[in-house]
Amino acid sequence: MLARHAPCPGTLDQCAGCCCNSAESLYSCSDCFTLLWYCQNCIVAMHQYNPLHQVHKWSKEFQCKESIGLADLGLTIQLMHEDGKPCSSMGRSRDLHVLSSNGFHRLRYYLCACDITHLHPQPATPRKLIANGLFPATFSAPAVAFTFQTLSLYDILNLYGHINIKQF
């Protein structure tokens, strides 16, 4: 129980990553299976395909864990195209706020510049968000999205617990 809230003695001295040999590891993830502590580069690399995990930074000053977003640590993901193919272009980045079952996240993604007819990279369309497992809150220039797991959770709570959308 204590290991979930504070690092064991000596675990912050060395990053648990495979081969970075960083001398300071201050980051852990409460959604990952292990309770290991990593340096900033390793925690970002580990979450390239799990950008909605809850990451915490150990505060040496206050001796407690503080929530920190992966976007704040430098994680920027590349969304797939509407047809499910990976996007190879990396334009500027844009933020998308995502409500997941484990909280609200700021997700930073690269704008797509694959289509040569566009002079400027385009933000994610609603169809592109849906193809990436996110449901847009609006269909005109979405800036907020929900994961399908969150929508499923609401559906279950609404049907069986009679929880309305305001209570959710």
Side-chain angles (χ1 to χ4, degrees):
M1 291 281 293
L2 290 176
R4 292 202 77 56
H5 299 286
C8 295
T11 56
L12 295 178
D13 300 335
Q14 184 76 24
C15 176
C18 62
C19 52
C20 77
N21 296 323
S22 178
E24 188 171 62
S25 56
L26 298 175
Y27 302 95
S28 70
C29 178
S30 59
D31 290 325
C32 287
F33 187 70
T34 62
L35 296 173
L36 301 175
W37 291 82
Y38 300 92
C39 67
Q40 181 175 343
N41 291 336
C42 287
I43 199 85
V44 168
M46 286 175 45
H47 288 88
Q48 184 66 36
Y49 299 107
N50 293 309
L52 300 178
H53 276 193
Q54 289 283 351
V55 174
H56 301 281
K57 179 181 181 178
W58 182 253
S59 170
K60 290 182 179 180
E61 180 183 355
F62 299 112
Q63 295 294 303
C64 66
K65 290 185 348 181
E66 300 172 341
S67 291
I68 187 165
L70 284 162
D72 297 327
L73 295 176
L75 178 65
T76 305
I77 65 165
Q78 184 64 54
L79 297 175
M80 292 185 296
H81 288 283
E82 295 174 9
D83 59 2
K85 293 180 182 173
C87 181
S88 59
S89 70
M90 286 196 228
R92 296 182 323 253
S93 63
R94 177 170 278 183
D95 288 345
L96 178 71
H97 297 279
V98 178
L99 179 62
S100 178
S101 58
N102 64 357
F104 229 128
H105 302 272
R106 183 171 60 95
L107 182 66
R108 178 164 289 161
Y109 68 94
Y110 289 111
L111 299 176
C112 179
C114 289
D115 190 359
I116 59 172
T117 61
H118 293 102
L119 297 176
H120 301 288
Q122 298 298 310
T125 62
R127 290 180 58 165
K128 189 172 195 175
L129 291 176
I130 290 171
N132 283 275
L134 301 170
F135 191 81
T138 179
F139 280 89
S140 60
V144 177
F146 307 95
T147 62
F148 283 105
Q149 292 88 353
T150 302
L151 295 177
S152 179
L153 175 63
Y154 168 70
D155 192 36
I156 291 168
L157 292 173
N158 179 263
L159 291 173
Y160 296 107
H162 307 291
I163 304 293
N164 66 35
I165 192 68
K166 288 185 180 182
Q167 292 170 325
F168 182 70

